[in-house]
Amino acid sequence: MIDEHAVLDSGYKENFTGFQATGEKCPIKDPGANGSDSAQRLVAVTNESEFAQFRASVPPRADDETVDALFDGRIKLYQSRGGYRVSLDAALLAHFVQIKPDAKIVELGAGNGAIILMLAYRHPSARFTGVEIQAAMLARARRNVVLNGLQERVKMLGGDVRAIAALAAAGSYDLAICNPPYRSALSGRVSPNPEKRIARHESECALGHFLRAGSYLLAKRGRMALVYPAFRCVDLLTSMRAAGIEPKRLRMVHSFRGSAASLVLVDGVKGGKSQIAVEAPLVVYDDQRRYTAEITAMLSGTAGRI
């Protein structure tokens, strides 16, 4: 399957063997060539010299962390070895959103900060705020901001989206983004790791909490964009409307042309009128089981930097 490290384009690891598959929440399946794990085909570091140069540019990390790369090494990222790690859906959302110059953007449930880092790279005039409830993830996100020299445009706040009024004023953002937990609290296998459990299951905050927080933070006609499993598309659309955010753009994500959708990307407008544009499907793999040109451009950071 496409494991959650597939978005990481360089295998910057001490053993030079690529990224370990840990089965995060991204539901897109990748059969791989001859059944092999797709992540093993993403290794970019091929010699000790290249690895040493990369490591020399990164401050020391904790023993339970890896230091990885996005956008061909232009973004560096500390991540927990055994906790929640960045996934392909993060890259999809970062390239789906539409951002105007000088916009103010908030991410609800920012995790390690990967989506904001990608957006900050692609939109140099925008300013970003991340909200994260988990203390360890928040601390790592703040370190990632410093690691990438984005302190002037990015800030990370600790807090609960269920008490969003304590963190920011109403109507203070142009865009809210969110990659919320995909599963209800007790569905599927619940991970004993708190980072994974909270990121994957609605054990702390449910979809409605994120949407109501987004609606509160958005200015009139502000937008909110989310990525969610296709099988919960109806839940997402009805919950957006209930929160006062009218769905306006929708794009389904498919592993292969002709396969069933695995993810849905949706963009809505606070107080918008009822009408939605359904965009052309986004296909991850071509017939040769290689990334399509669109996905390749996303993962390399060359897709429409603004």
Side-chain angles (χ1 to χ4, degrees):
M1 73 181 204
I2 296 178
D3 101 310
E4 67 283 4
H5 306 91
V7 67
L8 301 172
D9 47 66
S10 300
Y12 295 116
K13 300 288 286 294
E14 287 82 347
N15 56 15
F16 307 110
T17 58
F19 298 103
Q20 180 184 1
T22 55
E24 284 295 347
K25 68 184 183 180
C26 185
I28 297 178
K29 301 299 182 183
D30 170 22
N34 300 319
S36 64
D37 190 311
S38 63
Q40 298 303 312
R41 294 183 278 112
L42 297 176
V43 176
V45 173
T46 57
N47 60 73
E48 190 171 349
S49 175
E50 182 181 354
F51 175 74
Q53 290 176 12
F54 175 79
R55 287 288 294 121
S57 68
V58 181
R61 53 168 173 73
D63 290 340
D64 63 345
E65 290 178 337
T66 62
V67 56
D68 302 302
L70 302 168
F71 290 0
D72 286 339
R74 292 186 290 274
I75 296 173
K76 303 180 180 94
L77 189 70
Y78 291 119
Q79 299 195 90
S80 169
R81 288 185 185 274
Y84 179 72
R85 297 174 67 86
V86 67
S87 54
L88 179 63
D89 46 11
L92 301 181
L93 181 59
H95 288 81
F96 176 71
V97 297
Q98 297 176 339
I99 296 179
K100 296 180 179 180
D102 303 315
K104 294 179 64 177
I105 298 109
V106 60
E107 182 183 7
L108 302 174
N112 293 328
I115 293 179
I116 283 182
L117 296 179
M118 287 187 273
L119 289 174
Y121 173 82
R122 299 186 67 240
H123 302 273
S125 70
R127 305 186 74 84
F128 301 87
T129 300
V131 177
E132 175 55 46
I133 192 173
Q134 298 190 65
M137 298 272 278
L138 174 66
R140 198 174 297 118
R142 287 172 170 166
R143 291 167 56 219
N144 283 331
V145 170
V146 174
L147 180 62
N148 290 278
L150 293 169
Q151 303 94 308
E152 293 186 3
R153 292 196 295 124
V154 179
K155 62 180 179 180
M156 294 288 177
L157 303 178
D160 191 328
V161 297
R162 293 169 294 189
I164 198 64
L167 298 176
S172 53
Y173 290 93
D174 305 304
L175 170 69
I177 56 177
C178 186
N179 182 6
Y182 283 179
R183 297 187 175 277
S184 58
L186 299 178
S187 65
R189 185 179 68 85
V190 179
S191 174
N193 182 288
E195 284 191 13
K196 292 182 179 181
R197 182 178 67 252
I198 294 173
R200 289 191 286 192
H201 286 80
E202 296 175 327
S203 58
E204 295 289 333
C205 300
L207 176 62
H209 296 129
F210 288 100
L211 290 168
R212 287 190 290 274
S215 183
Y216 170 84
L217 292 175
L218 288 175
K220 184 178 180 180
R221 306 295 296 177
R223 307 186 76 96
M224 186 167 186
L226 304 95
V227 59
Y228 215 52
F231 73 87
R232 296 197 67 185
C233 183
V234 173
D235 294 338
L236 176 58
L237 297 178
T238 56
S239 296
M240 288 177 71
R241 178 171 282 178
I245 300 171
E246 186 65 22
K248 302 297 289 184
R249 294 170 53 228
L250 181 150
R251 192 176 192 190
M252 289 289 186
V253 182
H254 303 252
S255 290
F256 297 94
R257 195 174 306 278
S259 66
S262 296
L263 295 172
V264 61
L265 296 156
V266 182
D267 174 22
V269 173
K270 181 177 178 178
K273 296 181 179 180
S274 176
Q275 185 172 342
I276 189 168
V278 179
E279 300 182 352
L282 173 56
V283 179
V284 176
Y285 294 103
D286 64 19
D287 293 340
Q288 304 301 314
R289 296 181 175 179
R290 298 170 301 195
Y291 286 131
T292 59
E294 186 172 8
I295 295 295
T296 299
M298 289 182 185
L299 298 182
S300 66
T302 59
R305 185 170 187 250
I306 299 171

